[in-house]
Amino acid sequence: MARRPLPRILSSGTASLARGRDLARTAADSATDVLHPLLVIGRGLRILAAAGRRRWSETPKDKRGPALLLGAACVLVVALVPYGPLLALVTLMAAAAWRGRDRTPVKTGPSDAEAERLGSLYEALVPYFSIPEDPSPLFAHGGEWDKAFSGYEFDEAGRLTRLHIRYPAYFTDGEAASRARIEALLHAKSGRGREYLFDWDEEGNQLDLSVLAALPTGIAAQPFVTSPGESVLGFTDSSSVQRTLPVLEGEQPRDVPPVIWRTGPRSTEPHLLAVGQPGSGTSTLLRSLALQALRHGADVLIVDGGGSGEYACLTGRAGVLAVECGPVGAVATLEWAARETERRLVATHRAREAGRPAPEDTRRPLWILLDQPSVLAHLAVAEGGPDPMNHLQVPLRHGRPAHVTVVVAEQFDHLELLHDAVWQHTRARIVLGPAAIQQITDVLGLPPHTTPTSQVPPGRGYARLGTGAVHRLQVPATPDPYDEGTHPGYRQAVLELLPERQQGPAGAAASVAPAGTVGPPAGAAGPAGAAGPALVKVLDAPEPS
């Protein structure tokens, strides 16, 4: 068995160098804290000495002699007085400490521009947070905004970055439409082009608005530290999850919070649906999941409905059973997947009846990845053939106990073509790319707690697993390694994760077979033990130089 290379985070010295820099920085901070009084006194002595030199240079030459005589007399008196030198030293140190203190002015309130911005925001909220029957309204035209806004922060450009709002108890904060109106108003008045987080406290009648930092986009595909059955969908905010993963962003090691999707028989969300616009990163997500599944020893079936060839890098690789781009191959592949799911269920049931563990081949994970299956369904119907999606119902309904995972990626324009089984059994949902709040709500079932922006990088979106919360998401950069228009570093990272190409009689026979020739995958059997239809079609794609 070929040895797998260690992850770069373990094989390189960047982690130790980073720890060394952190230790040196911590030691320097600790020394600064301990020596802070001496630093203050030294700064004060330097200020007093500079003031003395300036005063001496300003003294006329005819008066410098009497001044020296007076200074010498003072020194003599201090030396003769009991405890005089000690008192003089204490006085000098006190004066130096006083002159060397940090006298940076402390900001005690907003500037005129910030106060004007807060006042205009307060006036804009008056129609939503006030009623005529209120005898002492918290929000009123010409009222005091500091009673409603108890906390605020601005950035260097004068734009609002955080705001704490108190609102009346009669405001209908339990209605989604009422909250949406307030969020839309605050988004418009605080500045567009940024993503805001709204934290509603219905018990305390308070609303916290904060600007979220951008999620990291420089994390490429890499061997993530996960266990079998766990897949990294992407990375999110630290306040959303309680787990971090060590990753490399470029050459810098970091700990980032991931969105982990768990599959297998004990998973409550065994299948996933990803929706987005063209270029939003759904194909990147599928490649990332395929590489992670192959790393944990799973078998992968890929159906590329778009026919763009973005999965050619996986063709013929160890563990990849098929990469289909046509309706005929898709029908054969999904039909075999349905029969394989049934075979696994029957074999597992018979083994349990006999009191034996399930066979090994039924416990090997099988991943079915479909990119834009509606295109293939349309082509199949146009050619008078069967709909490939009809064979997907069995893996969707019974795939969890059979260790079968289905991932469907589709575009917003073709969502109405998806079968009801896809919507019913894909409990893990992802929306990528720019989308309206209503579109996100229709797919995820809940609106996001943030305000989506119109311009987002590829792979940026939202994720929701089952009935959980909606998380911001940034998919790891996993481009097509044969696409020369992408970042060379990201392409090389994908090439390093690809399994080796299959060698042997099966791979050699498939490589010389004409296009469209089908043959059973090694070790794959149908429900009755016979080999299933053809799944392996090797397309000779040149490796990038």
Side-chain angles (χ1 to χ4, degrees), residues 324-533:
E324 293 293 345
C325 302
V328 177
V331 171
T333 299
L334 295 182
E335 183 180 1
W336 178 88
R339 293 181 179 179
E340 174 66 9
T341 304
E342 295 172 350
R343 184 194 69 82
R344 292 186 175 203
L345 292 175
V346 172
T348 302
H349 180 67
R350 290 176 179 175
R352 290 177 178 175
E353 284 185 340
R356 300 191 305 270
E360 181 66 26
D361 60 345
T362 64
R363 290 184 281 123
R364 183 181 177 90
L366 174 62
W367 285 63
I368 306 173
L369 308 179
L370 299 97
D371 193 356
Q372 302 184 41
S374 61
V375 177
L376 291 178
H378 178 76
L379 292 176
V381 173
E383 295 176 359
D387 187 355
M389 298 296 291
N390 293 332
H391 301 291
L392 197 61
Q393 297 185 15
V394 175
L396 283 172
R397 292 178 178 177
H398 309 290
R400 184 177 68 173
H403 295 267
V404 178
T405 301
V406 179
V407 181
V408 180
E410 193 52 86
Q411 297 181 7
F412 277 108
D413 298 338
H414 302 153
L415 287 182
E416 67 276 1
L417 301 178
L418 291 180
H419 288 207
D420 293 338
V422 176
W423 288 104
Q424 183 178 358
H425 296 284
T426 53
R427 294 173 51 83
R429 305 283 180 84
I430 291 178
V431 176
L432 296 179
I437 294 181
Q438 187 58 45
Q439 290 178 313
I440 300 174
T441 305
D442 294 340
V443 176
L444 302 183
L446 279 180
H449 293 294
T450 62
T451 54
T453 57
S454 56
Q455 300 293 333
V456 295
R460 174 69 176 82
Y462 297 92
R464 188 188 183 204
L465 303 179
T467 58
V470 178
H471 302 285
R472 289 204 308 165
L473 183 73
Q474 179 63 51
V475 178
T478 316
D480 180 9
Y482 298 159
D483 184 6
E484 297 181 355
T486 57
H487 193 282
Y490 299 160
R491 293 168 52 200
Q492 183 62 31
V494 175
L495 289 174
E496 293 176 359
L497 294 177
L498 287 175
E500 297 180 356
R501 290 195 179 276
Q502 290 180 341
Q503 301 293 335
S511 62
V512 299
T517 302
V518 292

Side-chain angles (χ1 to χ4, degrees), residues 15 72 96 99 110 124 215 229 234 236 273 297 315 349 358 369 395 404 408 434 499 512-513 519 532 540:
R99 295 301 301 271
L215 294 177
T236 184
L273 172 63
T315 303
H349 180 67
L369 308 179
V404 178
V408 180
V512 299
D540 293 332

Side-chain angles (χ1 to χ4, degrees), residues 167-176 178-179 200-203 205-206:
Y167 57 85
Y170 51 75
F171 175 72
T172 56
D173 51 6
E175 300 178 1
S178 300
R179 294 197 303 268
W200 291 85
D201 181 11
E202 289 87 353
E203 274 188 283
N205 302 317
Q206 297 177 359

Side-chain angles (χ1 to χ4, degrees), residues 529-543:
L535 290 179
V536 179
K537 184 197 304 182
V538 178
L539 304 177
D540 293 332
E543 293 286 350

Side-chain angles (χ1 to χ4, degrees), residues 148-162:
F149 302 156
S150 56
Y152 46 84
E153 290 180 5
F154 292 86
D155 58 10
E156 294 79 3
R159 296 190 303 175
L160 196 66
T161 59
R162 190 184 66 84

Side-chain angles (χ1 to χ4, degrees), residues 19-29:
R19 286 195 298 269
R21 287 194 297 267
D22 293 340
L23 290 176
R25 189 180 298 110
T26 302
D29 294 340

Side-chain angles (χ1 to χ4, degrees), residues 30-61:
S30 301
T32 302
D33 294 338
V34 172
L35 301 176
H36 180 70
L38 296 180
L39 296 176
V40 172
I41 293 175
R43 184 167 59 246
L45 290 175
R46 187 171 61 251
I47 294 174
L48 291 176
R53 287 195 302 269
R54 186 171 58 253
R55 185 66 177 271
W56 177 259
S57 62
E58 295 175 355
T59 303
K61 293 183 178 181

